[in-house]
């Protein structure tokens, strides 16, 4: 009993340092969204998120305790077998310190992308940051400066206003995308199309993996 408690505490310490991470799933697929859509990539989905988007399509990721603490070296060894492009997603991966994971992936010469709401401190070494801000927990100043891509999810009309507010905060080279929330796509796609034609600094992003019926 005591040993078991000790082990749990040790594992929690390693998770807190980012040397183990609550791994929800990992899979080789095609990046469906944004700038890199169509690119084969190995996805690593890390559990844990308290941002609380009501339309979130991975609510199973929220509770980190449901996902086994996994050694970084195991994640890296799996990833490098499949692809040069690794996408770290969640959940909200920045819930955890990403330094150890990204350092090891970089040591293998891999390209590392992150999908993040930016709500927490930006840790890790990234080749591509896809920032998708959420109203409930806004991004940190650092992530606005470093993001290569801003992906705004459109669920209702107010999201266009929020998208503009967020676009005003990112760096000048950041590529701007509007993406329909999947369950509202029939209603919002025509609105997005009209908006992008009127405001061509934006591009349309679709969740093409869902149309392709792949993860
Ligand atoms: S930030 Fe992402 S994982 Fe977290 S609740 Fe929102 S959509 Fe879901």
């Amino acid at each position: 009993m005591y040993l078991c408690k000790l082990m749990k505490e040790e594992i929690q310490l390693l998770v807190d340092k980012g040397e183990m991470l609550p791994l929800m799933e990992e899979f080789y697929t095609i990046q469906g969204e944004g700038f890199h859509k169509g690119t084969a990539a190995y996805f690593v989905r890390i559990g844990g998120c308290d941002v609380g988007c009501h339309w979130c399509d991975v609510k199973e990721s929220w509770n980190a305790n449901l996902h086994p603490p996994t050694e970084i070296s195991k994640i890296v060894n799996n990833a490098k077998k499949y692809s040069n492009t690794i996408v770290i997603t969640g959940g909200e991966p920045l819930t955890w310190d990403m330094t150890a994971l990204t350092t090891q992936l970089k040591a293998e010469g891999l390209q590392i992308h992150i999908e993040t709401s930016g709500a927490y401190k930006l840790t890790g070494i990234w080749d591509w940051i896809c920032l998708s801000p959420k109203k409930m927990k806004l991004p940190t100043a650092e992530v606005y400066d470093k993001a290569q891509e801003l992906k705004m999810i459109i669920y209702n009309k107010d999201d266009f206003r929020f998208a503009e507010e967020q676009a005003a905060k990112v760096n000048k080279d950041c590529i701007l995308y509007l993406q329909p929330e999947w369950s509202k796509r029939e209603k919002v796609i025509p609105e997005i199309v009209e908006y992008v034609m009127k405001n061509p600094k934006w591009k349309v992003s679709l969740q093409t993996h869902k149309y392709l019926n792949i993860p």
Side-chain angles (χ1 to χ4, degrees):
M1 189 77 166
Y2 175 71
L3 267 178
C4 186
K5 185 169 177 274
L6 199 65
M7 235 161 81
K8 270 193 186 157
E9 283 171 1
E10 279 171 9
I11 288 173
Q12 191 54 52
L13 271 177
L14 292 171
V15 172
D16 291 345
K17 286 197 273 184
E19 288 171 12
M20 290 181 96
L21 290 168
L23 180 64
M24 178 175 164
E25 55 178 348
E26 45 187 344
F27 49 94
Y28 185 43
T29 188
I30 304 290
Q31 167 60 281
E33 306 176 3
F35 185 80
H36 292 282
K37 80 167 177 307
T39 305
Y42 192 76
F43 275 67
V44 176
R45 189 182 302 287
I46 308 291
C49 183
D50 67 355
V51 175
C53 308
H54 63 91
W55 43 257
C56 177
D57 58 0
V58 277
K59 290 194 170 104
E60 326 80 80
S61 70
W62 291 5
N63 183 353
N65 295 329
L66 299 180
H67 308 294
T70 306
E71 284 173 14
I72 297 304
S73 56
K74 194 172 165 205
I75 298 174
V76 174
N77 284 335
N78 287 343
K80 72 182 185 190
K81 286 184 211 153
Y82 288 92
S83 182
N84 286 332
T85 302
I86 314 300
V87 179
I88 309 298
T89 187
E92 172 44 69
L94 293 180
T95 304
W96 314 101
D97 188 340
M98 287 287 124
T99 310
L101 175 63
T102 54
T103 303
Q104 284 195 32
L105 289 168
K106 265 285 146 223
E108 297 292 340
L110 302 172
Q111 290 287 305
I112 328 171
H113 302 183
I114 185 171
E115 307 262 341
T116 180
S117 69
Y120 294 103
K121 183 176 157 45
L122 182 63
T123 52
I125 311 158
W126 304 103
D127 296 293
W128 192 267
I129 297 173
C130 173
L131 173 64
S132 187
K134 305 296 183 307
K135 288 174 189 161
M136 293 76 73
K137 263 187 207 277
L138 291 175
T140 61
E142 187 184 10
V143 79
Y144 287 123
D145 290 343
K146 297 208 170 139
Q148 277 83 16
E149 171 179 356
L150 178 73
K151 184 172 68 190
M152 299 304 303
I153 309 302
I154 304 298
Y155 180 85
N156 59 29
K157 280 206 190 302
D158 185 61
D159 291 330
F160 290 103
R161 178 204 56 76
F162 181 55
E164 290 296 348
E165 192 182 289
Q166 296 302 296
K169 293 186 177 179
V170 290
N171 64 82
K172 66 175 178 28
D173 297 321
C174 191
I175 306 166
L176 308 178
Y177 288 102
L178 298 176
Q179 179 173 297
E181 193 280 318
W182 182 251
S183 70
K184 293 281 175 199
R185 64 192 181 282
E186 286 184 14
K187 178 174 183 298
V188 299
I189 284 177
E191 295 170 7
I192 291 175
V193 167
E194 194 187 337
Y195 194 88
V196 169
M197 287 196 294
K198 280 189 190 148
N199 303 275
K201 70 179 182 191
W202 292 98
K203 296 174 190 292
V204 180
S205 172
L206 296 174
Q207 290 183 296
T208 57
H209 53 293
K210 294 190 178 175
Y211 293 98
L212 294 171
N213 209 16
I214 55 175

